[in-house]
Amino acid sequence: MIAAAVARAGLEEQVRVAERERIAERGRATEAQEALQQRDEFISVAAHELRTPLTALQLKLQSLERTSNPDRRIERLGGAVRQTERLSRLIERLLDVSRIAQGRVEMALERFDLSALVRQVADDFRDPSLESRAPLQLDVPERVEGCWDRLRLEQVLVNLLSNAVKYGAGKPIVVSLEADDHRVRLKVADRGIGIAPDDVDRIFGRFQRAAPIRNYGGLGLGLYITRYIVEAHRGSIAVESELEHGSTFVVELPRWSIKPVDEHETAARAQA
């Protein structure tokens, strides 16, 4: 009887182990299926995003080839250059994802005036914001010096303003900058479509989107890259949002970073 009880207990344990393995296998299969679906979705979106400026570039060049009017040629050439710049930004964004995953994003820290950079990027967005009927309003001090990576913070500003123009629903966008002796706080606020509460925590993830692809383009990478850059400067980024009432993105950075946070550590947090 004791031997039979021991044998039965052993068999029951084997059954439990086998069941746990089957559950784990089903979980891995589900994760793999979701990963494949996410990959296919991303490839579809990336192809669409890259095709749009390529088509526009082709049309501009064909028009340039046909026209003999010097003014028209200059206008068409300017449009073609803008489309190549758009393609370059899309490709650079895709490359950044690979660099982040491998911990190869380098930070070149230098002392500069952040207020001047904010005004410069805002000027670059004057025309797109007016086309979207979303005028830009600046509340920026005369001068805020600190030590950061200039190109990377420009990338942060471009990503946040691009989102504000895209989702701002044709209403004013406010960019503000505050500073004390140790930290700066940058805010980009719109009064557009807003973000649902369930989406607020995930929009900083890779390939994550809160708005439907069919209505709003994009790779779902801008905020993911933005978060990485901010955290690499030992800063933080957060969003306050309400559906149909707009969103406010808040970036806080130390003014005098001696060196960026360890890249591999930041890459691991970004992947998580």
Side-chain angles (χ1 to χ4, degrees), residues 37-89:
Q37 183 178 352
Q38 189 179 60
R39 182 205 63 186
D40 293 342
E41 207 171 275
F42 168 71
I43 290 173
S44 174
V45 173
H48 173 76
E49 289 294 315
L50 291 169
R51 188 187 301 119
T52 300
L54 274 174
T55 302
L57 176 60
Q58 186 178 25
L59 292 172
K60 294 288 185 185
L61 292 176
Q62 288 172 350
S63 175
L64 180 64
E65 189 178 35
R66 289 193 299 266
T67 186
S68 58
N69 185 313
D71 293 335
R72 283 284 180 86
R73 290 177 72 88
I74 291 172
E75 180 186 343
R76 298 291 187 271
L77 184 59
V81 169
R82 285 193 296 274
Q83 295 305 323
T84 60
E85 290 171 349
R86 183 178 175 188
L87 271 172
S88 177
R89 287 194 299 270

Side-chain angles (χ1 to χ4, degrees), residues 1-13:
M1 290 176 65
I2 293 173
V6 170
R8 185 167 60 251
L11 288 171
E12 290 173 351
E13 180 60 25

Side-chain angles (χ1 to χ4, degrees), residues 174-189:
V174 179
V175 181
S176 62
L177 181 64
E178 304 169 355
D180 59 28
D181 292 340
H182 304 289
R183 300 185 71 80
V184 296
R185 174 180 290 182
L186 171 72
K187 292 184 180 180
V188 178

Side-chain angles (χ1 to χ4, degrees), residues 112-116 119 140-145 255:
F112 67 93
D113 178 11
L114 184 57
S115 291
R119 284 191 286 267
V140 178
E142 181 67 24
R143 189 172 186 85
V144 175
E145 284 198 344
R255 285 188 71 170

Side-chain angles (χ1 to χ4, degrees), residues 4-266:
V6 170
R8 185 167 60 251
L11 288 171
E12 290 173 351
E13 180 60 25
Q14 290 177 11
V15 169
R16 284 194 292 271
V17 170
E19 183 62 25
R20 286 197 295 269
E21 290 178 352
R22 279 196 296 273
I23 293 171
E25 185 63 32
R26 282 199 297 271
R28 286 192 292 269
T30 300
E31 289 176 0
Q33 186 175 1
E34 289 175 352
L36 287 172
Q37 183 178 352
Q38 189 179 60
R39 182 205 63 186
D40 293 342
E41 207 171 275
F42 168 71
I43 290 173
S44 174
V45 173
H48 173 76
E49 289 294 315
L50 291 169
R51 188 187 301 119
T52 300
L54 274 174
T55 302
L57 176 60
Q58 186 178 25
L59 292 172
K60 294 288 185 185
L61 292 176
Q62 288 172 350
S63 175
L64 180 64
E65 189 178 35
R66 289 193 299 266
T67 186
S68 58
N69 185 313
D71 293 335
R72 283 284 180 86
R73 290 177 72 88
I74 291 172
E75 180 186 343
R76 298 291 187 271
L77 184 59
V81 169
R82 285 193 296 274
Q83 295 305 323
T84 60
E85 290 171 349
R86 183 178 175 188
L87 271 172
S88 177
R89 287 194 299 270
L90 286 169
I91 293 169
E92 191 64 28
R93 186 166 288 185
L94 291 171
L95 289 173
D96 270 342
V97 175
S98 175
R99 295 185 189 114
I100 289 171
Q102 298 174 37
R104 293 192 297 107
V105 179
E106 296 181 358
M107 293 288 164
L109 300 179
E110 59 179 303
R111 179 171 179 162
F112 67 93
D113 178 11
L114 184 57
S115 291
L117 180 63
V118 172
R119 284 191 286 267
Q120 172 200 316
V121 175
D123 284 342
D124 292 341
F125 272 86
R126 292 293 180 189
D127 290 342
S129 65
L130 290 176
E131 288 174 9
S132 301
R133 298 181 181 177
L136 284 176
Q137 300 174 3
L138 292 185
D139 181 10
V140 178
E142 181 67 24
R143 189 172 186 85
V144 175
E145 284 198 344
C147 185
W148 308 283
D149 184 312
R150 181 193 295 268
L151 290 178
R152 290 298 178 183
L153 285 197
E154 180 178 350
Q155 197 174 358
V156 167
L157 286 162
V158 167
N159 288 341
L160 293 180
L161 280 172
S162 295
N163 272 5
V165 171
K166 184 189 298 184
Y167 303 118
K171 298 176 181 176
I173 297 166
V174 179
V175 181
S176 62
L177 181 64
E178 304 169 355
D180 59 28
D181 292 340
H182 304 289
R183 300 185 71 80
V184 296
R185 174 180 290 182
L186 171 72
K187 292 184 180 180
V188 178
D190 66 69
R191 304 176 194 170
I193 63 174
I195 304 167
D198 292 342
D199 294 327
V200 167
D201 291 334
R202 69 178 184 83
I203 58 171
F204 294 101
R206 186 169 47 178
F207 310 134
Q208 296 298 317
R209 312 167 50 86
I213 293 175
R214 64 181 179 275
N215 296 333
Y216 298 93
L219 299 172
L221 294 173
L223 291 177
Y224 168 76
I225 294 170
T226 295
R227 185 187 69 166
Y228 178 90
I229 293 171
V230 170
E231 290 183 351
H233 282 83
R234 300 185 182 276
S236 64
I237 181 169
V239 59
E240 302 168 359
S241 186
E242 185 179 349
L243 279 177
E244 308 301 332
H245 289 85
S247 304
T248 299
F249 286 87
V250 181
V251 173
E252 291 196 1
L253 296 169
R255 285 188 71 170
W256 306 103
S257 297
I258 298 174
K259 63 179 181 178
V261 70
D262 180 76
E263 292 178 2
H264 294 287
E265 176 188 342
T266 310

